[in-house]
Amino acid sequence: AQSVTQLGSHVSVSEGALVLLRCNYSSSVPPYLFWYVQYPNQGLQLLLKYTTGATLVKGINGFEAEFKKSETSFHLTKPSAHMSDAAEYFCAVTGADTGANSKLTFGKGITLSVRP
Amino acid sequence: DTGVSQDPRHKITKRGQNVTFRCDPISEHNRLYWYRQTLGQGPEFLTYFQNEAQLEKSRLLSDRFSAERPKGSFSTLEIQRTEQGDSAMYLCASSLMGGGSPLHFGNGTRLTVT
C-alpha cells in the first residue's frame, strides 16, 4: 500500500521567489511518483513524473522535483514563481510492482498563492 | 489527442434521485479510472477498467454506485438514490498500459445533491 503526505495546505510566495512544495511518500515497494496541478474548476494536469533513472526530473512550466529515497521525499521546486503558477498542487504515488495497474494515491494537495 | 471528455460539467439533483455521468477517454488509452474529489482533498480512487473489464473497485464505491465501460470505449458512472454526502467532483482519467503511464484527467463533473 502507498500513501502521500503533503505538509501544510497553503503556501504563499512573492512573484519571482523560489517555490518549494513538499511531498513525502510511503510505499512498501519501489514507487513511481507524480506531481499534478489543478486550476479552479478543471481537471488535473501532469507536471512531471519519476519512474526510474535520473532522480532529478524536469517538468512543464519550469518545475522540477528530486526523488530522494533515503528521505522518502519528492519535493517540487521552481526557481522563480510566476502569477500564473497560482493553483493547487497534488503529489501522487503508485507502486512500481503494480504492473498493469497505474492506480494513483494522492495527497491532500497544497494551494499555492503568488503575491505581486 | 482531444483529451478526456466528461459530461455533464455540472449536475444538481435532489436527494434520492439517480444520476449518470459519462466519460470519453483518449481514444488509444485502454485504461479508464474514476476518482472522487471533495473540497480540500485530493482525488480518491473509485474504480478502474482495463478495456471493458472492471478490475478494481474501492470500498468507497457503495452498492449505490455502478460503473460500466461497454466495448472498452466510453464509460458511465451511475449513482442511485443520491445522498448529500455524494456531493463532490467526479473525475475520469485514462492512460496507456504500463505502471508508469501517467493518468490524463478530464475536467470533471461537479455533483451537488440538495
Side-chain angles (χ1 to χ4, degrees):
Chain A
Q2 292 84 32
S3 67
V4 171
T5 301
Q6 293 185 252
L7 290 177
S9 59
H10 186 238
V11 170
S12 180
V13 301
S14 297
E15 191 173 20
L18 171 72
V19 176
L20 170 61
L21 304 181
R22 299 179 186 275
C23 171
N24 289 87
Y25 70 91
S26 173
S27 179
S28 56
V29 298
Y32 291 157
L33 294 156
F34 303 79
W35 274 98
Y36 282 84
V37 61
Q38 186 177 33
Y39 297 99
N41 297 315
Q42 293 188 22
L44 282 72
Q45 179 183 5
L46 180 69
L47 278 177
L48 48 79
K49 68 174 184 177
Y50 168 78
T51 52
T52 58
T55 56
L56 181 63
V57 293
K58 297 185 184 298
I60 62 172
N61 302 338
F63 284 94
E64 62 183 35
E66 186 171 11
F67 169 61
K68 292 186 176 180
K69 182 179 178 181
S70 61
E71 298 177 9
T72 61
S73 69
F74 191 57
H75 302 330
L76 182 71
T77 60
K78 182 175 180 177
S80 177
H82 191 272
M83 296 296 291
S84 61
D85 295 327
E88 194 158 15
Y89 291 80
F90 294 93
C91 182
V93 64
T94 188
D97 70 332
T98 51
N101 186 348
S102 293
K103 182 183 75 175
L104 294 179
T105 298
F106 286 86
K108 291 187 175 183
I110 298 174
T111 300
L112 175 66
S113 300
V114 182
R115 304 184 300 271
Chain B
D1 179 356
T2 57
V4 177
S5 177
Q6 292 188 246
D7 183 70
R9 289 294 311 274
H10 304 275
K11 178 70 176 179
I12 300 174
T13 191
K14 293 185 177 181
R15 187 174 53 189
Q17 298 295 304
N18 299 344
V19 295
T20 299
F21 310 141
R22 178 183 170 117
C23 172
D24 288 90
I26 294 172
S27 57
E28 60 267 29
H29 287 180
N30 50 13
R31 296 183 186 167
L32 187 147
Y33 306 80
W34 285 99
Y35 281 79
R36 181 171 67 189
Q37 185 179 22
T38 53
L39 198 62
Q41 300 294 319
E44 296 174 297
F45 171 78
L46 293 178
T47 189
Y48 148 67
F49 291 85
Q50 183 161 304
N51 300 314
E52 67 276 8
Q54 188 173 18
L55 297 187
E56 187 172 347
K57 292 168 61 174
S58 164
R59 288 172 295 175
L60 293 174
L61 212 64
S62 75
D63 291 344
R64 297 185 296 105
F65 288 70
S66 63
E68 295 182 342
R69 193 184 182 195
K71 304 179 183 177
S73 56
F74 72 92
S75 175
T76 58
L77 177 68
E78 181 183 17
I79 309 174
Q80 296 182 327
R81 304 181 303 282
T82 53
E83 302 173 354
Q84 287 189 320
D86 297 331
S87 296
M89 175 78 87
Y90 290 84
L91 294 166
C92 177
S94 68
S95 76
L96 295 168
M97 289 185 65
S101 297
L103 273 60
H104 297 256
F105 283 85
N107 285 331
T109 294
R110 181 168 296 282
L111 173 66
T112 302
V113 181
T114 62

PDB file of all heavy atoms in Angstrom, chain B residues 31-46:
ATOM      1  N   ARG B  31      -6.960   2.012 -20.502  1.00  0.00           N
ATOM      2  CA  ARG B  31      -7.306   2.055 -19.087  1.00  0.00           C
ATOM      3  C   ARG B  31      -8.146   3.285 -18.788  1.00  0.00           C
ATOM      4  O   ARG B  31      -7.879   4.364 -19.312  1.00  0.00           O
ATOM      5  CB  ARG B  31      -6.050   2.093 -18.226  1.00  0.00           C
ATOM      6  CG  ARG B  31      -5.203   0.863 -18.342  1.00  0.00           C
ATOM      7  CD  ARG B  31      -4.048   0.976 -17.395  1.00  0.00           C
ATOM      8  NE  ARG B  31      -3.139  -0.121 -17.567  1.00  0.00           N
ATOM      9  CZ  ARG B  31      -1.921  -0.150 -17.050  1.00  0.00           C
ATOM     10  NH1 ARG B  31      -1.503   0.873 -16.343  1.00  0.00           N
ATOM     11  NH2 ARG B  31      -1.153  -1.188 -17.231  1.00  0.00           N
ATOM     12  N   LEU B  32      -9.127   3.107 -17.918  1.00  0.00           N
ATOM     13  CA  LEU B  32     -10.005   4.217 -17.551  1.00  0.00           C
ATOM     14  C   LEU B  32     -10.275   4.152 -16.053  1.00  0.00           C
ATOM     15  O   LEU B  32     -10.530   3.079 -15.502  1.00  0.00           O
ATOM     16  CB  LEU B  32     -11.320   4.129 -18.346  1.00  0.00           C
ATOM     17  CG  LEU B  32     -12.288   5.305 -18.206  1.00  0.00           C
ATOM     18  CD1 LEU B  32     -13.048   5.528 -19.514  1.00  0.00           C
ATOM     19  CD2 LEU B  32     -13.238   5.128 -17.047  1.00  0.00           C
ATOM     20  N   TYR B  33     -10.204   5.306 -15.410  1.00  0.00           N
ATOM     21  CA  TYR B  33     -10.335   5.396 -13.963  1.00  0.00           C
ATOM     22  C   TYR B  33     -11.412   6.406 -13.601  1.00  0.00           C
ATOM     23  O   TYR B  33     -11.577   7.425 -14.275  1.00  0.00           O
ATOM     24  CB  TYR B  33      -9.027   5.885 -13.322  1.00  0.00           C
ATOM     25  CG  TYR B  33      -7.805   5.081 -13.685  1.00  0.00           C
ATOM     26  CD1 TYR B  33      -7.162   5.277 -14.901  1.00  0.00           C
ATOM     27  CD2 TYR B  33      -7.278   4.150 -12.808  1.00  0.00           C
ATOM     28  CE1 TYR B  33      -6.037   4.552 -15.241  1.00  0.00           C
ATOM     29  CE2 TYR B  33      -6.138   3.418 -13.131  1.00  0.00           C
ATOM     30  CZ  TYR B  33      -5.529   3.624 -14.352  1.00  0.00           C
ATOM     31  OH  TYR B  33      -4.403   2.907 -14.679  1.00  0.00           O
ATOM     32  N   TRP B  34     -12.089   6.152 -12.480  1.00  0.00           N
ATOM     33  CA  TRP B  34     -12.975   7.132 -11.868  1.00  0.00           C
ATOM     34  C   TRP B  34     -12.428   7.479 -10.489  1.00  0.00           C
ATOM     35  O   TRP B  34     -12.067   6.583  -9.708  1.00  0.00           O
ATOM     36  CB  TRP B  34     -14.390   6.592 -11.742  1.00  0.00           C
ATOM     37  CG  TRP B  34     -15.162   6.541 -13.019  1.00  0.00           C
ATOM     38  CD1 TRP B  34     -15.359   5.453 -13.832  1.00  0.00           C
ATOM     39  CD2 TRP B  34     -15.872   7.617 -13.639  1.00  0.00           C
ATOM     40  NE1 TRP B  34     -16.132   5.791 -14.913  1.00  0.00           N
ATOM     41  CE2 TRP B  34     -16.459   7.114 -14.818  1.00  0.00           C
ATOM     42  CE3 TRP B  34     -16.071   8.969 -13.313  1.00  0.00           C
ATOM     43  CZ2 TRP B  34     -17.236   7.912 -15.672  1.00  0.00           C
ATOM     44  CZ3 TRP B  34     -16.831   9.748 -14.160  1.00  0.00           C
ATOM     45  CH2 TRP B  34     -17.400   9.223 -15.322  1.00  0.00           C
ATOM     46  N   TYR B  35     -12.379   8.787 -10.222  1.00  0.00           N
ATOM     47  CA  TYR B  35     -11.968   9.301  -8.925  1.00  0.00           C
ATOM     48  C   TYR B  35     -13.048  10.248  -8.412  1.00  0.00           C
ATOM     49  O   TYR B  35     -13.802  10.834  -9.185  1.00  0.00           O
ATOM     50  CB  TYR B  35     -10.650  10.086  -9.032  1.00  0.00           C
ATOM     51  CG  TYR B  35      -9.403   9.244  -9.113  1.00  0.00           C
ATOM     52  CD1 TYR B  35      -9.024   8.641 -10.307  1.00  0.00           C
ATOM     53  CD2 TYR B  35      -8.594   9.060  -7.998  1.00  0.00           C
ATOM     54  CE1 TYR B  35      -7.872   7.875 -10.377  1.00  0.00           C
ATOM     55  CE2 TYR B  35      -7.433   8.303  -8.063  1.00  0.00           C
ATOM     56  CZ  TYR B  35      -7.080   7.714  -9.253  1.00  0.00           C
ATOM     57  OH  TYR B  35      -5.932   6.955  -9.321  1.00  0.00           O
ATOM     58  N   ARG B  36     -13.079  10.422  -7.098  1.00  0.00           N
ATOM     59  CA  ARG B  36     -13.971  11.404  -6.486  1.00  0.00           C
ATOM     60  C   ARG B  36     -13.107  12.391  -5.692  1.00  0.00           C
ATOM     61  O   ARG B  36     -12.160  11.988  -4.993  1.00  0.00           O
ATOM     62  CB  ARG B  36     -14.968  10.729  -5.549  1.00  0.00           C
ATOM     63  CG  ARG B  36     -15.947  11.680  -4.892  1.00  0.00           C
ATOM     64  CD  ARG B  36     -17.028  10.927  -4.160  1.00  0.00           C
ATOM     65  NE  ARG B  36     -16.512  10.199  -3.006  1.00  0.00           N
ATOM     66  CZ  ARG B  36     -17.224   9.338  -2.309  1.00  0.00           C
ATOM     67  NH1 ARG B  36     -18.479   9.077  -2.633  1.00  0.00           N
ATOM     68  NH2 ARG B  36     -16.687   8.714  -1.277  1.00  0.00           N
ATOM     69  N   GLN B  37     -13.446  13.672  -5.803  1.00  0.00           N
ATOM     70  CA  GLN B  37     -12.689  14.708  -5.114  1.00  0.00           C
ATOM     71  C   GLN B  37     -13.644  15.611  -4.358  1.00  0.00           C
ATOM     72  O   GLN B  37     -14.539  16.218  -4.947  1.00  0.00           O
ATOM     73  CB  GLN B  37     -11.856  15.527  -6.100  1.00  0.00           C
ATOM     74  CG  GLN B  37     -10.949  16.549  -5.439  1.00  0.00           C
ATOM     75  CD  GLN B  37     -10.116  17.325  -6.436  1.00  0.00           C
ATOM     76  OE1 GLN B  37     -10.456  17.428  -7.617  1.00  0.00           O
ATOM     77  NE2 GLN B  37      -9.002  17.884  -5.985  1.00  0.00           N
ATOM     78  N   THR B  38     -13.464  15.699  -3.052  1.00  0.00           N
ATOM     79  CA  THR B  38     -14.248  16.616  -2.245  1.00  0.00           C
ATOM     80  C   THR B  38     -13.399  17.834  -1.908  1.00  0.00           C
ATOM     81  O   THR B  38     -12.162  17.811  -2.044  1.00  0.00           O
ATOM     82  CB  THR B  38     -14.746  15.939  -0.964  1.00  0.00           C
ATOM     83  OG1 THR B  38     -13.624  15.361  -0.277  1.00  0.00           O
ATOM     84  CG2 THR B  38     -15.753  14.848  -1.281  1.00  0.00           C
ATOM     85  N   LEU B  39     -14.050  18.879  -1.445  1.00  0.00           N
ATOM     86  CA  LEU B  39     -13.380  20.155  -1.221  1.00  0.00           C
ATOM     87  C   LEU B  39     -12.218  20.013  -0.254  1.00  0.00           C
ATOM     88  O   LEU B  39     -12.360  19.447   0.825  1.00  0.00           O
ATOM     89  CB  LEU B  39     -14.397  21.170  -0.682  1.00  0.00           C
ATOM     90  CG  LEU B  39     -14.004  22.641  -0.796  1.00  0.00           C
ATOM     91  CD1 LEU B  39     -13.834  23.021  -2.267  1.00  0.00           C
ATOM     92  CD2 LEU B  39     -15.048  23.527  -0.130  1.00  0.00           C
ATOM     93  N   GLY B  40     -11.060  20.492  -0.677  1.00  0.00           N
ATOM     94  CA  GLY B  40      -9.897  20.469   0.191  1.00  0.00           C
ATOM     95  C   GLY B  40      -9.188  19.138   0.281  1.00  0.00           C
ATOM     96  O   GLY B  40      -8.277  18.959   1.099  1.00  0.00           O
ATOM     97  N   GLN B  41      -9.584  18.199  -0.565  1.00  0.00           N
ATOM     98  CA  GLN B  41      -8.980  16.867  -0.548  1.00  0.00           C
ATOM     99  C   GLN B  41      -8.418  16.520  -1.919  1.00  0.00           C
ATOM    100  O   GLN B  41      -8.821  17.082  -2.937  1.00  0.00           O
ATOM    101  CB  GLN B  41     -10.015  15.817  -0.148  1.00  0.00           C
ATOM    102  CG  GLN B  41     -10.628  16.033   1.214  1.00  0.00           C
ATOM    103  CD  GLN B  41      -9.632  15.884   2.332  1.00  0.00           C
ATOM    104  OE1 GLN B  41      -8.785  14.993   2.318  1.00  0.00           O
ATOM    105  NE2 GLN B  41      -9.708  16.777   3.316  1.00  0.00           N
ATOM    106  N   GLY B  42      -7.503  15.558  -1.912  1.00  0.00           N
ATOM    107  CA  GLY B  42      -7.038  15.040  -3.176  1.00  0.00           C
ATOM    108  C   GLY B  42      -8.023  14.038  -3.744  1.00  0.00           C
ATOM    109  O   GLY B  42      -8.916  13.564  -3.040  1.00  0.00           O
ATOM    110  N   PRO B  43      -7.888  13.708  -5.014  1.00  0.00           N
ATOM    111  CA  PRO B  43      -8.769  12.716  -5.620  1.00  0.00           C
ATOM    112  C   PRO B  43      -8.653  11.361  -4.923  1.00  0.00           C
ATOM    113  O   PRO B  43      -7.549  10.942  -4.564  1.00  0.00           O
ATOM    114  CB  PRO B  43      -8.269  12.635  -7.062  1.00  0.00           C
ATOM    115  CG  PRO B  43      -7.581  13.936  -7.303  1.00  0.00           C
ATOM    116  CD  PRO B  43      -6.960  14.297  -5.998  1.00  0.00           C
ATOM    117  N   GLU B  44      -9.801  10.695  -4.749  1.00  0.00           N
ATOM    118  CA  GLU B  44      -9.837   9.363  -4.143  1.00  0.00           C
ATOM    119  C   GLU B  44     -10.285   8.363  -5.200  1.00  0.00           C
ATOM    120  O   GLU B  44     -11.296   8.576  -5.876  1.00  0.00           O
ATOM    121  CB  GLU B  44     -10.814   9.338  -2.967  1.00  0.00           C
ATOM    122  CG  GLU B  44     -10.419  10.226  -1.811  1.00  0.00           C
ATOM    123  CD  GLU B  44     -11.517  10.258  -0.763  1.00  0.00           C
ATOM    124  OE1 GLU B  44     -12.629  10.734  -1.080  1.00  0.00           O
ATOM    125  OE2 GLU B  44     -11.276   9.806   0.363  1.00  0.00           O
ATOM    126  N   PHE B  45      -9.564   7.272  -5.313  1.00  0.00           N
ATOM    127  CA  PHE B  45      -9.833   6.254  -6.305  1.00  0.00           C
ATOM    128  C   PHE B  45     -11.176   5.577  -6.048  1.00  0.00           C
ATOM    129  O   PHE B  45     -11.503   5.217  -4.920  1.00  0.00           O
ATOM    130  CB  PHE B  45      -8.723   5.206  -6.268  1.00  0.00           C
ATOM    131  CG  PHE B  45      -8.982   3.979  -7.099  1.00  0.00           C
ATOM    132  CD1 PHE B  45      -8.812   4.012  -8.473  1.00  0.00           C
ATOM    133  CD2 PHE B  45      -9.400   2.801  -6.506  1.00  0.00           C
ATOM    134  CE1 PHE B  45      -9.041   2.880  -9.247  1.00  0.00           C
ATOM    135  CE2 PHE B  45      -9.632   1.666  -7.266  1.00  0.00           C
ATOM    136  CZ  PHE B  45      -9.448   1.713  -8.632  1.00  0.00           C
ATOM    137  N   LEU B  46     -11.963   5.424  -7.122  1.00  0.00           N
ATOM    138  CA  LEU B  46     -13.240   4.720  -7.027  1.00  0.00           C
ATOM    139  C   LEU B  46     -13.189   3.370  -7.731  1.00  0.00           C
ATOM    140  O   LEU B  46     -13.508   2.339  -7.155  1.00  0.00           O
ATOM    141  CB  LEU B  46     -14.365   5.556  -7.634  1.00  0.00           C
ATOM    142  CG  LEU B  46     -14.737   6.843  -6.896  1.00  0.00           C
ATOM    143  CD1 LEU B  46     -15.840   7.574  -7.648  1.00  0.00           C
ATOM    144  CD2 LEU B  46     -15.152   6.557  -5.463  1.00  0.00           C
TER     145      LEU B  46
END
